Amino acid sequence: MNQEQERKVLKDQNGSKVRYRVLWTLKDEYLNGIALLITEHLPKYQAYVKNLKKNNFTVIGYARKSPGQEQQEVRVGLVQKMVNKLYDTLLVNRVFVTTLSRANDTITSRDTNGKNAQLTLLNQVHGNTQDLSEYICTSKNNCLVAIDFAGLSTNTSDLYDFIVYVFLYEKSNHFSLKMIF
């Protein structure tokens, strides 16, 4: 992927400014290998999750939506799509959701004001972030799945603090969160 740096604004034949963007493409020799990796990833992941479930793991999904200007019905629809993906594609057993937090908000501070009205409009949701913490601390053999890195947290030290919090939680006499995807 070698590309010379070019100006992003040029002038056309009439002297008018024309903006453009450089498009990076994958070299042909790598295309088949990357396409194969992409197509094989999901089935391998799903087989791995099925094996976890056979070994008595509970696979927990977590979805987070940042604050935005969307109308409530649009916002609920977007979160519901994430919930559905967690169940249908990522094969989770339970889903917990926060409908109004930023990716850099600390995990333990999310949803501390109680239940959000939008949460009641979602299907197949087992609670908010506080409910997630409680569930992990009071159950065994959990695997936490988020759709992407920012779905859980963009702050790695906060993620570490969350794991330590779950581990040291006063009701927990065992380390129930075994893995995070």
Side-chain angles (χ1 to χ4, degrees):
M1 287 205 270
N2 293 331
Q3 174 68 35
E4 288 186 29
Q5 193 80 16
E6 296 182 31
R7 292 177 54 173
K8 292 189 176 187
V9 177
L10 294 176
K11 293 188 178 187
D12 65 8
Q13 295 171 345
N14 300 329
S16 300
K17 288 184 179 181
V18 177
R19 290 183 51 89
Y20 72 94
R21 295 186 182 169
V22 176
L23 174 65
W24 294 88
T25 60
L26 190 63
K27 290 183 179 178
D28 289 339
E29 64 231 45
Y30 300 116
L31 188 60
N32 288 337
I34 295 295
L36 186 61
L37 287 173
I38 291 169
T39 57
E40 289 179 347
H41 179 74
L42 183 59
K44 285 180 180 179
Y45 165 82
Q46 289 176 334
Y48 185 77
V49 168
K50 288 175 184 176
N51 189 48
L52 284 175
K53 289 179 177 184
K54 284 181 189 174
N55 290 310
N56 296 319
F57 274 79
T58 301
V59 183
I60 303 167
Y62 181 74
R64 181 198 57 77
K65 182 80 174 114
S66 295
Q69 301 298 319
E70 307 94 354
Q71 292 180 351
Q72 180 168 305
E73 63 188 38
V74 172
R75 181 173 205 73
V76 168
L78 292 170
V79 175
Q80 187 65 57
K81 285 181 181 181
M82 287 189 274
V83 170
N84 295 346
K85 181 177 182 177
L86 284 163
Y87 279 112
D88 300 339
T89 306
L90 303 178
L91 307 178
V92 302
N93 300 104
R94 300 174 150 263
V95 173
F96 295 87
V97 173
T98 182
T99 60
L100 196 62
S101 72
R102 291 178 177 78
N104 63 353
D105 290 347
T106 60
I107 298 170
T108 55
S109 70
R110 296 176 187 170
D111 302 318
T112 54
N113 297 335
K115 300 287 184 197
N116 182 317
Q118 292 175 346
L119 202 61
T120 62
L121 301 173
L122 297 166
N123 297 320
Q124 293 185 292
V125 171
H126 291 86
N128 61 22
T129 310
Q130 298 302 311
D131 299 321
L132 168 68
S133 295
E134 178 71 23
Y135 182 80
I136 290 172
C137 291
T138 58
S139 62
K140 293 184 179 181
N141 294 336
N142 295 301
C143 173
L144 181 60
V145 175
I147 292 175
D148 62 17
F149 183 72
L152 192 54
S153 179
T154 56
N155 182 338
T156 53
S157 64
D158 176 53
L159 182 57
Y160 174 81
D161 291 345
F162 173 70
I163 293 168
V164 169
Y165 166 79
V166 168
F167 183 68
L168 298 176
Y169 188 69
E170 62 190 60
K171 293 181 183 177
S172 178
N173 57 6
H174 57 279
F175 190 56
S176 64
L177 184 60
K178 304 283 185 181
M179 52 186 82
I180 299 175
F181 279 119

